[in-house]
Amino acid sequence: MHTSNRILQGIPASPGIVIGRARVLSDRGNIQEHFRLLYSEEEQTQEVARFLAAVDQAQEDLTRLKEDMEEEFPEHSHLFELHRLLLKDQMLFDEPLRLIRENRYNAEWALFRSFEKVKDLFRRIEDPYIKGRMADVESVYRRLMGNLAGQVPLFPASAPSSDPLIIVARDLSPAEATQMASSPVVGFVTERGTRTSHTAILAQAMEVPAVVGLDRATKEINPGDEIILDGLLGRLILNPDAETLEKFRRRRREFDLFKAEVARFSSFPAKTQDNHPTRVLANIELPEEVQLALKSGADGVGLYRTEFLYLRLRHLPSEEELFQDYRLVVEAMAPREVTIRTLDIGGDKFLSHLQYPKEMNPALGLRAIRFCLKEQGIFRSQLKAILRASAWGRVRVMFPLISSVQEIREARRLLGEVQEELRRQGQPFDDNMPVGAMIEVPAAVTLAGILAWEADFFSIGTNDLIQYALAIDRGNKQVADLYQPLHPAVLRMIQQVVEAGAKAGIPVAVCGEMAGDPLHLPILLGLGVGELSMNHMAIPMVKKIIRMFTLEEARRMAREVMDMVTVEEINRYAAQEMRRRFPEVFRFGSALAGTAQP
C-alpha cells in the first residue's frame, strides 16, 4: 500500500507545478562497460568499424535533432551542434580508436577508458558552470554506448499513454529532453544533474517543470505513482490525497498568473519608482545564449565566460578562433555592451599539450590571472582577440581573481603591448576599451581603495568571494549551510568595494548568483551597487522588483541590515520585508529567477 503525501526533496531546475503518473526508467544509463581483448587484426578492424558506425549514427541523430529544434527553439539548437563537435573530440574519438588499435580493447572498453580520463579532467575544475558542461560530454558518451549496445529510444512508439507522465530517471540528456515536446510527458525528475546543466536550461526554455539531484529517485518512486512535481521548490509529493491535489492545483494557477505578469517586465527599463536606473545584465558562456539574454531584456552582457572554447577544442584555440567567437557575441549584442572575462581556469584543465601537475587545492592554485601572467603566450592571444572584437561593438575586458596591485598593472602592461602590435598590423580596435578587476578574494576587498585607481570598473564575483571570505566549500554538504550571502562580513565587504568605487568614480557591478536573487536585490541597490549581472531567467523578475520600490527605501533596508550582527537576523529581516512588501514575489520570485534553494 502506497503512503499518501510522501515528500521527496531535490533541487529545483525548471519552475512550474505539474501532476502526472510516474514513468520510472530505472535501467536507463546502466551502461555495461564490458572488457574484451582482441586477438586478431580482423577483430580489431571489426571493432574500429563498430565504433565508427556508432559515431556516424550519433552524428545523423544529432543533425536531425538540431534541425527539429531550430523550428521551435532556435536559440537552443546549438546544444546539438556542441554535441556533434564533441563526437570528434580528441578524447572521445581519437583516444578510443587508439586504444582499440594499440591496446586491443573492444570498442565499449576503449570508450569507457577514454571517458574516465575526461571525468578526471573535469573533477579538477572548480567553476560550477564549466563543471556542469561535463553533463554534455557524458551525454555524448551515453549516446555512443547506447548505439554500440543497440539501445532503444527513450519514448518508443509502442508505449503510448493518454495520462500526463512524469519521467523519473538517473539522468537525461538534452536530446532526450527534447522528445518530451511531442509526448505526454509534462515534467521530469532525475537523480543527477544541476540547475545549470544544458538539460535544465532546455527544460526552462520548453517550460517543462523539472527537479534534479534527487538521490535514489528511481528506487523511491514506483511506476504508476501519482506525483505532484513542484519545480518551484524542487519537491515531489507522492500519491497525494484529494486535499493536497486541490491545494497544488490552486498554487499552480496562482504561479501561472504571476509568471505571465513577470514576463511583461523584460522590455521595461530597470528604474526604481524615484527614477534611479540600474543596469541589468546577463551572464553567458556560449555565443548562442545571446538571443536568450536579449529575449529576457538584458541591458548587455555583464559576464562572458570564455573558458569553454579552451576545453572544447583538441588544441589551444588560436587568436582567430577566439576572435570569431567573441565577434559573434559582440555583433549580436550591439549596441549593448559586452564584458568579457579573461581565462579563469588553470593549466591542468586543458585537453592540450600543457603539462601541469594535478593540484591539491586548485581553488587556491595556479588559475585565472595567475595562470595568464605565467602563460603569457596564451594570454596575449586572448587579449588580441578581445581587442579585435572591440571594433565590432562595445566591449569591456575584466581580469578574474585579482589579489594585488601588481597583477592588474602587469595585465594592463601586457594589454598595452598587444595594442601596439595590433596598431603595427593595422588592426582596428577600441583604444578606450574599459578594463576591470573582479573582486573575488578578501585581499582585493582590502585593497579596493587602491585598485579602484588602477581599474575602470569593478565586478564583485560573490560566489567566490563568499567561499573565500567564510572559508566554505559550498560543494561540501557538511558545511554548505554555512554559505550565507547575507553574512555580515560579506555585506561589509560589498559595502567597502562600492565605497572605494564611488570615491574613484568607477561603476561597481555584482555578477554572482547573489545578483539575481530577489531576496538580496533591495539590499545590494541600497548599498550602492549600480550593475547586476545574472542568469537570463532572472532578468524579468529583477526588473519587476526594481520598479516596485524607491532607492531611498532600498537604502533604508541596507542601513537596517548593516546595524545587524548575525546572519540569522539579517535573513529574517530580509524575508519579512519581502513578504510584507512583495508577497507574490516572496512566494514565487526566487523560483522564477532560478535562485530558489531546496
Side-chain angles (χ1 to χ4, degrees):
M1 182 165 178
H2 299 304
T3 303
S4 295
N5 296 332
R6 186 181 173 203
I7 296 174
L8 299 180
Q9 183 66 57
I11 299 168
S14 181
I17 297 170
V18 288
I19 301 168
R21 295 284 175 181
R23 182 177 177 193
V24 182
L25 307 176
S26 56
D27 60 345
R28 193 74 185 173
N30 291 332
I31 298 170
Q32 299 299 315
E33 302 95 355
H34 65 276
F35 170 74
R36 181 167 62 88
L37 199 60
L38 310 175
Y39 290 101
S40 68
E41 288 188 12
E42 183 181 357
E43 284 183 300
Q44 284 179 289
T45 301
Q46 290 174 346
E47 285 302 289
V48 167
R50 282 184 69 229
F51 180 75
L52 293 177
V55 172
D56 288 344
Q57 182 62 52
Q59 287 277 13
E60 183 180 321
D61 292 343
L62 288 168
T63 299
R64 186 183 67 256
L65 286 165
K66 181 175 184 290
E67 291 170 353
D68 292 343
M69 182 60 69
E70 283 174 342
E71 294 181 11
E72 195 165 359
F73 301 102
E75 65 270 30
H76 289 285
S77 63
H78 71 277
L79 298 179
F80 301 105
E81 182 60 32
L82 170 60
H83 285 201
R84 288 179 59 196
L85 290 171
L86 287 171
L87 282 171
K88 295 296 184 180
D89 184 86
Q90 178 182 3
M91 296 298 286
L92 291 180
F93 185 78
D94 295 345
E95 181 66 6
L97 288 174
R98 185 189 71 79
L99 291 174
I100 294 171
R101 289 167 174 150
E102 296 181 12
N103 291 32
R104 297 180 177 272
Y105 291 163
N106 61 308
E108 287 88 348
W109 191 254
L111 181 58
F112 169 67
R113 297 296 300 172
S114 302
F115 177 62
E116 287 296 300
K117 289 184 180 179
V118 179
K119 282 206 296 188
D120 182 63
L121 172 79
F122 273 82
R123 282 190 194 104
R124 307 179 217 161
I125 295 173
E126 296 298 316
D127 189 302
Y129 292 92
I130 302 172
K131 207 177 188 75
R133 299 293 75 83
M134 180 60 197
D136 296 294
V137 180
E138 184 165 359
S139 176
V140 171
Y141 166 72
R142 286 168 51 202
R143 178 175 290 277
L144 289 173
M145 278 294 197
N147 288 350
L148 288 169
Q151 202 171 67
V152 298
L154 178 61
F155 302 114
S158 60
S161 173
S162 58
D163 295 326
L165 294 178
I166 292 175
I167 293 294
V168 182
R170 288 183 62 200
D171 202 2
L172 291 174
S173 70
E176 290 166 339
T178 62
Q179 297 177 54
M180 297 178 188
S182 57
S183 76
V185 174
V186 294
F188 68 84
V189 53
T190 60
E191 296 177 346
R192 304 164 67 181
T194 68
R195 74 173 75 199
T196 58
S197 70
H198 277 148
T199 299
I201 292 169
L202 195 53
Q204 295 157 14
M206 296 169 64
E207 298 188 349
V208 174
V211 173
V212 300
L214 204 163
D215 292 341
R216 294 180 52 80
T218 58
K219 301 289 191 298
E220 300 287 344
I221 301 170
N222 297 310
D225 277 351
E226 188 170 27
I227 299 175
I228 297 173
L229 188 157
D230 185 347
L232 308 178
L233 298 176
R235 188 172 294 165
L236 301 185
I237 295 91
L238 305 186
N239 302 304
D241 58 27
E243 183 181 350
T244 304
L245 280 170
E246 181 53 37
K247 172 186 172 184
F248 275 87
R249 288 188 180 114
R250 186 168 59 252
R251 179 171 161 83
R252 178 172 59 187
R253 289 192 295 269
E254 292 170 353
F255 172 72
D256 288 345
L257 288 172
F258 179 73
K259 181 179 176 182
E261 167 69 13
V262 167
R264 297 191 307 109
F265 285 85
S266 62
S267 60
F268 293 176
K271 290 184 177 181
T272 58
Q273 290 183 347
D274 50 355
N275 218 34
H276 177 79
T278 300
R279 291 219 303 164
V280 181
L281 312 168
N283 297 340
I284 68 169
E285 65 174 315
L286 294 170
E288 295 83 357
E289 290 179 289
V290 167
Q291 293 308 313
L292 291 172
L294 291 172
K295 185 178 178 181
S296 299
D299 296 324
V301 171
L303 171 62
Y304 180 18
R305 302 180 181 92
T306 58
E307 292 76 31
F308 196 62
L309 194 62
Y310 291 85
L311 296 170
R312 187 175 71 193
L313 299 177
R314 309 182 201 180
H315 56 271
L316 285 173
S318 66
E319 174 193 328
E320 185 63 25
E321 286 171 319
L322 294 170
F323 163 65
Q324 293 297 341
D325 192 79
Y326 304 157
R327 175 182 166 182
L328 280 174
V329 173
V330 172
E331 280 191 303
M333 285 302 298
R336 299 168 182 84
E337 193 170 58
V338 175
T339 303
I340 303 177
R341 181 181 72 182
T342 57
L343 199 55
D344 192 18
I345 52 177
D348 62 327
K349 311 302 187 297
F350 285 86
L351 289 174
S352 70
H353 63 280
L354 291 178
Q355 297 297 318
Y356 280 95
K358 184 175 180 179
E359 295 182 304
M360 292 293 291
N361 192 343
L364 302 178
L366 185 64
R367 57 168 282 215
I369 195 64
R370 302 167 184 175
F371 171 78
C372 289
L373 294 178
K374 185 176 180 64
E375 292 288 345
Q376 293 191 9
I378 294 173
F379 193 34
R380 286 173 178 271
S381 180
Q382 184 177 30
L383 291 176
K384 281 186 180 180
I386 293 171
L387 282 165
R388 289 173 60 191
S390 72
W392 297 86
R394 296 172 59 203
V395 175
R396 301 192 301 187
V397 64
M398 65 181 179
F399 305 127
L401 210 70
I402 292 293
S403 61
S404 70
V405 173
Q406 182 58 31
E407 285 172 340
I408 192 168
R409 285 180 177 174
E410 179 65 8
R412 294 198 75 142
R413 183 186 68 78
L414 292 172
L415 181 65
E417 290 181 2
V418 167
Q419 288 173 323
E420 285 302 316
E421 289 179 36
L422 291 178
R423 287 191 189 97
R424 289 195 297 270
Q425 295 169 5
Q427 292 273 17
F429 63 90
D430 180 6
D431 267 310
N432 300 309
M433 180 180 70
V435 177
M438 289 200 71
I439 308 299
E440 302 172 275
V441 297
V445 176
T446 304
L447 292 172
I450 301 171
L451 291 172
W453 299 100
E454 306 284 339
D456 299 314
F457 66 94
F458 280 157
S459 185
I460 305 174
T462 52
N463 295 358
D464 273 348
L465 182 61
I466 294 167
Q467 292 192 104
Y468 288 127
L470 304 182
I472 289 168
D473 174 8
R474 64 174 177 167
N476 183 338
K477 293 182 179 179
Q478 302 297 321
V479 295
D481 62 310
L482 299 178
Y483 182 89
Q484 294 287 346
L486 295 182
H487 192 287
V490 174
L491 294 180
R492 280 160 176 75
M493 286 183 169
I494 294 172
Q495 183 183 49
Q496 184 175 340
V497 174
V498 169
E499 289 175 350
K503 188 173 182 180
I506 65 171
V508 177
V510 168
C511 69
E513 289 178 8
M514 200 173 175
D517 193 320
L519 193 66
H520 307 148
L521 186 57
I523 296 171
L524 290 176
L525 265 60
L527 289 174
V529 173
E531 298 179 9
L532 300 163
S533 192
M534 64 203 68
N535 180 300
H536 73 89
M537 279 180 59
I539 291 174
M541 170 58 61
V542 166
K543 284 189 169 185
K544 175 180 171 65
I545 297 172
I546 289 174
R547 294 173 63 87
M548 292 174 73
F549 59 81
T550 67
L551 181 60
E552 184 50 45
E553 287 173 325
R555 286 171 174 165
R556 179 187 61 76
M557 280 190 69
R559 286 194 297 270
E560 291 280 349
V561 300
M562 295 309 286
D563 286 335
M564 298 176 187
V565 296
T566 70
V567 69
E568 290 79 12
E569 59 183 325
I570 294 174
N571 280 334
R572 186 166 54 251
Y573 171 78
Q576 287 173 348
E577 283 294 299
M578 288 296 286
R579 186 182 292 111
R580 180 178 66 83
R581 293 184 53 80
F582 320 116
E584 287 186 328
V585 171
F586 184 80
R587 288 188 69 197
F588 299 125
S590 293
L592 200 52
T595 58
Q597 298 299 317

